[in-house]
């Protein structure tokens, strides 16, 4: 049992090192050698845990998704019981945007992963499945909100889901200092206010 814990911890250490390489230098520098150097371990040690660069990237992205889900869960837990769907969606959208260091690291990792997916069939399948799963979750929340009368019955749940997720497109505007983080949140809030017929 202790060996399994150490194994997971070491893999997470390597994943976080990969995040830092991607965040600071870009995906082109995310080689096993550079990640090993960033993690402060040997090249061979990284290869012990990840036989290929692809394996390392996949685990790092899965771990990033886990951390985002954990932050969303913690944020939703702080809401009322039961939480209002508008507030749940706000927490989810806020954690998808690079509004704080942890979210920025996972956001940049996600962007790099998408670029890799365009040229790697295996990564493409995993990335697509992950995005589809996340989208399905948002659509379920929207559909339930329509059923419960929080969103107008004339709204199409699929379209509204796509429009909500389109707000994550504010990411490059934040990253390149075109807009400030608070302006992105204002856009999120105003969109949610227009979507929901009540605020809870």
């Amino acid at each position: 049992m202790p060996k399994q814990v150490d194994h997971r911890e070491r893999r997470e250490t390597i994943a976080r090192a990969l995040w830092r390489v991607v965040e600071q230098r870009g995906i082109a520098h995310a080689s096993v050698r550079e990640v090993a150097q960033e993690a402060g371990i040997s090249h061979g040690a990284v290869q012990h845990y990840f036989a290929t660069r692809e394996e390392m990237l996949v685990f790092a992205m899965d771990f990033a998704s886990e951390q985002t889900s954990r932050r969303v869960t913690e944020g939703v837990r702080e809401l009322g019981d039961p939480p209002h769907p508008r507030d749940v969606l706000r927490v989810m959208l806020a954690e998808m945007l690079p509004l704080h260091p942890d979210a920025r690291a996972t956001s940049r990792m996600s962007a790099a992963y998408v670029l890799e997916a365009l040229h790697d069939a295996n990564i493409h399948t995993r990335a697509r499945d992950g995005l589809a799963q996340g989208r399905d979750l948002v659509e379920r929340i929207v559909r339930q909100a329509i059923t419960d009368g929080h969103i107008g019955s004339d709204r199409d749940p699929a379209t509204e889901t796509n429009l909500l997720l389109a707000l994550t497109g504010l990411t490059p505007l934040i990253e390149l200092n075109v807009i400030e983080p608070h302006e992105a949140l204002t856009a999120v809030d105003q969109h949610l206010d227009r979507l929901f017929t009540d605020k809870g």
Side-chain angles (χ1 to χ4, degrees), residues 107-119:
S107 174
R108 291 180 182 180
M109 185 64 220
S110 295
Y113 197 62
V114 169
L115 291 176
E116 287 286 311
L118 295 176
H119 308 288

Side-chain angles (χ1 to χ4, degrees), residues 63-139:
F63 184 48
S65 297
E66 289 174 15
Q67 294 304 298
T68 300
S69 295
R70 179 186 58 78
R71 293 194 303 269
V72 169
T73 298
E74 291 174 353
V76 170
R77 192 179 295 127
E78 295 174 1
L79 302 175
D81 186 20
H84 193 281
R86 180 203 183 281
D87 298 331
V88 173
L89 289 170
R90 187 184 192 277
V91 168
M92 294 176 71
L93 289 169
E95 285 300 337
M96 292 181 201
L97 293 170
L99 301 178
H100 57 80
D102 285 345
R104 183 167 58 248
T106 53
S107 174
R108 291 180 182 180
M109 185 64 220
S110 295
Y113 197 62
V114 169
L115 291 176
E116 287 286 311
L118 295 176
H119 308 288
D120 186 303
N122 291 331
I123 291 179
H124 182 280
T125 299
R126 290 182 65 95
R128 182 188 181 284
D129 289 349
L131 288 172
Q133 185 177 5
R135 187 196 171 284
D136 287 346
L137 174 59
V138 173
E139 184 166 339

